[in-house]
Amino acid sequence: GESVGLHLPTLSVQEGDNSIINCAYSNSASDYFIWYKQESGKGPQFIIDIRSNMDKRQGQRVTVLLNKTVKHLSLQIAATQPGDSAVYFCAETPTGANSKLTFGKGITLSVRP
Amino acid sequence: GAGVSQSPSNKVTEKGKDVELRCDPISGHTALYWYRQSLGQGLEFLIYFQGNSAPDKSGLPSDRFSAERTGGSVSTLTIQRTQQEDSAVYLCASSFRRDTKQFFGPGTRLTVL
């Protein structure tokens, strides 16, 4: 079936370094992608989104890259901070449908001081 | 402005009892979603409401699960005859319209003993 998956379950980075979190998706009809951050005991927090007519979008310290050819999505976090420690989820949906999101299992980002 | 709110934050119940979980979406958001997050897992879509349209119930795991949205605002997710496998965090999200970013509430942690 269709799925969204993450390549690595955990990622440990040094404070100040850049982080790259990768995600693969399998639904070729997906055209809207979102990254969420979830801290312990909280609901997912929107980070950044991108539509399929773009291949790159930048926010504050974050960049999302989309490669539709290989169905790959990545989240780059510049100058990673301790507050970035959380579980990160990629999610996707085909916007022609009801926009229910399909989520990956999540990757834990741990920032070393 | 106020975000998505959910109540209760925690619910402990005995197997076989019914539970009701409440979601207050962001004012003005026409789309409302329920998701379930089991321990260490990604988010699983349950049900989607859009305006006055019939809800998309395709993600409900069994007929013990139902949801309603009154007046296009508050939603209640009801689980009848709860089972231990229903234990999870139930998350509600809303969006301005169906193909825009979804904002999540803090979730309700349900524990079925």
Side-chain angles (χ1 to χ4, degrees), chain A residues 13 18 33 64 71 81 91 94 97 101:
Chain A
V13 300
N18 296 335
F33 306 86
V64 56
K71 299 193 189 72
Q81 302 170 0
L101 293 171

Side-chain angles (χ1 to χ4, degrees), chain B residues 53-97:
Chain B
S53 302
D56 178 348
K57 305 179 182 180
S58 61
L60 295 179
S62 77
D63 59 7
R64 296 185 295 105
F65 288 72
S66 63
E68 62 178 18
R69 188 179 185 191
T70 55
S73 181
V74 172
S75 177
T76 302
L77 177 68
T78 301
I79 309 173
Q80 296 179 309
R81 304 181 302 282
T82 52
Q83 302 295 313
Q84 289 183 332
E85 59 264 29
D86 299 334
S87 295
V89 176
Y90 289 82
L91 290 154
C92 176
S94 71
S95 62
F96 180 66
R97 61 173 191 266

Side-chain angles (χ1 to χ4, degrees), chain A residues 44-55:
Chain A
Q45 175 188 357
F46 172 87
I47 302 174
I48 193 167
D49 59 356
I50 189 168
R51 296 192 183 274
S52 60
N53 59 350
M54 302 174 68
D55 53 19

Side-chain angles (χ1 to χ4, degrees), chain A:
Chain A
E2 305 292 1
S3 66
V4 177
L6 299 170
H7 294 309
L8 298 173
T10 60
L11 176 64
S12 180
V13 300
Q14 187 73 38
E15 181 179 357
D17 287 352
N18 296 335
S19 302
I20 300 176
I21 303 172
N22 295 305
C23 178
Y25 64 94
S26 60
N27 186 354
S28 56
S30 294
D31 56 4
Y32 180 51
F33 306 86
I34 308 177
W35 280 100
Y36 285 94
K37 170 187 179 183
Q38 188 174 28
E39 296 173 296
S40 181
K42 297 182 179 180
Q45 175 188 357
F46 172 87
I47 302 174
I48 193 167
D49 59 356
I50 189 168
R51 296 192 183 274
S52 60
N53 59 350
M54 302 174 68
D55 53 19
K56 179 179 180 180
R57 191 169 187 213
Q58 289 185 298
Q60 185 177 9
R61 281 202 307 119
V62 295
T63 300
V64 56
L65 299 176
L66 174 63
N67 186 329
K68 297 180 289 294
T69 301
V70 295
K71 299 193 189 72
H72 186 268
L73 189 69
S74 69
L75 176 69
Q76 301 178 358
I77 304 173
T80 312
Q81 302 170 0
D84 295 326
S85 294
V87 178
Y88 289 79
F89 294 95
C90 62
E92 51 85 15
T93 183
T95 54
N98 61 14
S99 297
K100 61 185 182 184
L101 293 171
T102 299
F103 285 82
K105 290 191 181 298
I107 182 168
T108 300
L109 176 64
S110 176
V111 181
R112 304 189 302 274

